[in-house]
Amino acid sequence: MRWKKGMLIYNKNAGKDKLERNLEGCLPVLAPHIDEFLILQTKQKGDACRYCLEYGEEMNVVFVLGGDGTVHECVNGLSPLQRRPLFGILPGGTCNDFSRTLKIPQKVRQAAEALVNGKVRPIDIGKSNNDYFSNFWGVGLISDASNNIDEQEKSRFGKIGYLLSAVRTIGENAPFSYKLEYDGNFIEGEAVMILVLNGCFIGTNLLPFPMISPDDGLFGVAILENASLGAFLEIIAMKRSWTENMSSDSGVTYLQAGTLTIESKRPLDVDMDGENYRQTPSRIKVLAHHLSVLTPN
């Protein structure tokens, strides 16, 4: 592939000890494929979104080198544009979950080589009120775990830090009452976590829910009703796989939907792609084939 204008956004704080090596790995691979190449470093939260909003429509391709948070910012900067460039993800963070769904190699040089020699794949993007997400939307245990993560643990233990945070959170997590309307159907009850899934990984763990695809126009929706540690770890360890409309005695309800409205008696923090900054109620819909991403052949 070759592009007239391209941009690389990189997060200087993602993978701090590997940043120089990651740039040395990807720049010599990308540069020969781009005639005019703009390289921008993020210095604070929100920069990646701002760069995409400001320059995105001028570009033929936008690459991001960073973790899930930087990818999330780029998705929110590219999704509102009328003319959206191709998007390429170079995994440079702790978990790099959505890149795993797209089967992108987890070493940066290999990822760059796979993308410039790869193919274009249209993917769905989730829209929650006025915000966008690529991988997941969640409330309850997932957002509490993100809020409680210890940054030193994250830096030292990587993906294990997220699991430690989640395990700590389980004992403190009280069920919440919810009302869920999806594609003309309605359910309500109590849960400790609701996940709306466009990707297959959270915290590098492959989720055991079937039929999740980022290009089928549908979300996977998992409702965890059972607050026990065992039920949560079964999901993470994939000791069981849940099927659509599984009985409630499993502690998990799983369904698929294209549009949802989620309400709760008390406002709940919303986690989108690992970033917490909104609260319920939320109206969520699939934007089918909204972004075109580079993926390996």
Side-chain angles (χ1 to χ4, degrees), residues 227-253:
S228 73
L229 176 62
F232 179 75
L233 293 182
E234 277 187 324
I235 295 175
I236 294 300
M238 292 184 293
K239 293 179 180 176
R240 300 177 62 188
S241 290
W242 277 269
T243 57
E244 191 170 3
N245 298 323
M246 193 172 199
S247 61
S248 59
D249 60 5
S250 69
V252 176
T253 298

Side-chain angles (χ1 to χ4, degrees), residues 267-288:
L268 299 172
D269 290 341
V270 172
D271 184 332
M272 284 181 282
D273 299 341
E275 301 295 314
N276 284 7
Y277 55 94
R278 295 287 185 264
Q279 290 188 318
T280 55
S282 299
R283 178 164 177 78
I284 307 167
K285 63 179 179 180
V286 171
L287 303 179

Side-chain angles (χ1 to χ4, degrees), residues 166-211:
V167 170
R168 277 198 303 269
T169 304
I170 286 173
E172 307 165 2
N173 200 270
F176 56 86
S177 297
Y178 71 89
K179 293 181 180 180
L180 172 62
E181 182 181 354
Y182 67 99
D183 294 346
N185 302 295
F186 180 83
I187 57 175
E188 61 182 318
E190 287 196 341
V192 294
M193 180 168 65
I194 298 176
L195 290 173
V196 179
L197 301 164
N198 192 47
C200 305
F201 290 82
I202 293 181
T204 74
N205 296 285
L206 177 64
L207 298 172
F209 305 116
M211 301 176 292

Side-chain angles (χ1 to χ4, degrees), residues 69-86:
T70 314
V71 171
H72 177 74
E73 281 197 29
C74 288
V75 166
N76 275 270
L78 296 174
S79 293
L81 301 179
Q82 291 296 309
R83 180 189 171 278
R84 295 179 289 276
L86 291 177

Side-chain angles (χ1 to χ4, degrees), residues 49-295:
C49 181
R50 180 169 58 82
Y51 294 154
C52 288
L53 285 168
E54 186 172 350
Y55 300 109
E57 291 191 343
E58 303 173 19
M59 300 296 160
N60 303 113
V61 64
V62 171
F63 290 95
V64 56
L65 170 60
D68 297 313
T70 314
V71 171
H72 177 74
E73 281 197 29
C74 288
V75 166
N76 275 270
L78 296 174
S79 293
L81 301 179
Q82 291 296 309
R83 180 189 171 278
R84 295 179 289 276
L86 291 177
F87 186 40
I89 300 173
L90 302 170
T94 304
C95 295
N96 310 305
D97 284 328
F98 198 60
S99 70
R100 295 175 189 273
T101 291
L102 299 177
K103 296 182 170 58
I104 295 172
Q106 293 303 292
K107 293 186 177 179
V108 169
R109 184 179 184 86
Q110 292 177 7
E113 291 171 345
L115 296 190
V116 298
N117 294 298
K119 62 183 179 181
V120 176
R121 180 182 180 184
I123 61 162
D124 305 335
I125 292 296
K127 186 174 184 181
S128 174
N129 298 340
N130 294 316
D131 303 302
Y132 302 86
F133 63 93
S134 57
N135 195 42
F136 75 89
W137 177 105
V139 291
L141 180 61
I142 186 75
S143 57
D144 293 342
S146 293
N147 283 333
N148 292 339
I149 191 161
D150 185 297
E151 288 300 322
Q152 289 185 338
E153 262 179 13
K154 178 180 175 182
S155 177
R156 183 177 178 186
F157 297 113
K159 64 181 182 179
I160 299 173
Y162 288 94
L163 182 58
L164 293 173
S165 176
V167 170
R168 277 198 303 269
T169 304
I170 286 173
E172 307 165 2
N173 200 270
F176 56 86
S177 297
Y178 71 89
K179 293 181 180 180
L180 172 62
E181 182 181 354
Y182 67 99
D183 294 346
N185 302 295
F186 180 83
I187 57 175
E188 61 182 318
E190 287 196 341
V192 294
M193 180 168 65
I194 298 176
L195 290 173
V196 179
L197 301 164
N198 192 47
C200 305
F201 290 82
I202 293 181
T204 74
N205 296 285
L206 177 64
L207 298 172
F209 305 116
M211 301 176 292
I212 299 173
S213 174
D215 60 4
D216 63 356
L218 291 170
F219 297 124
V221 183
I223 304 170
L224 178 64
E225 299 151 353
N226 184 349
S228 73
L229 176 62
F232 179 75
L233 293 182
E234 277 187 324
I235 295 175
I236 294 300
M238 292 184 293
K239 293 179 180 176
R240 300 177 62 188
S241 290
W242 277 269
T243 57
E244 191 170 3
N245 298 323
M246 193 172 199
S247 61
S248 59
D249 60 5
S250 69
V252 176
T253 298
Y254 182 79
L255 53 93
Q256 287 187 296
T259 61
L260 308 95
T261 300
I262 298 176
E263 299 178 357
S264 53
K265 280 191 175 180
R266 56 183 173 87
L268 299 172
D269 290 341
V270 172
D271 184 332
M272 284 181 282
D273 299 341
E275 301 295 314
N276 284 7
Y277 55 94
R278 295 287 185 264
Q279 290 188 318
T280 55
S282 299
R283 178 164 177 78
I284 307 167
K285 63 179 179 180
V286 171
L287 303 179
H289 293 187
H290 191 68
L291 287 183
S292 293
V293 298
L294 293 167
T295 62

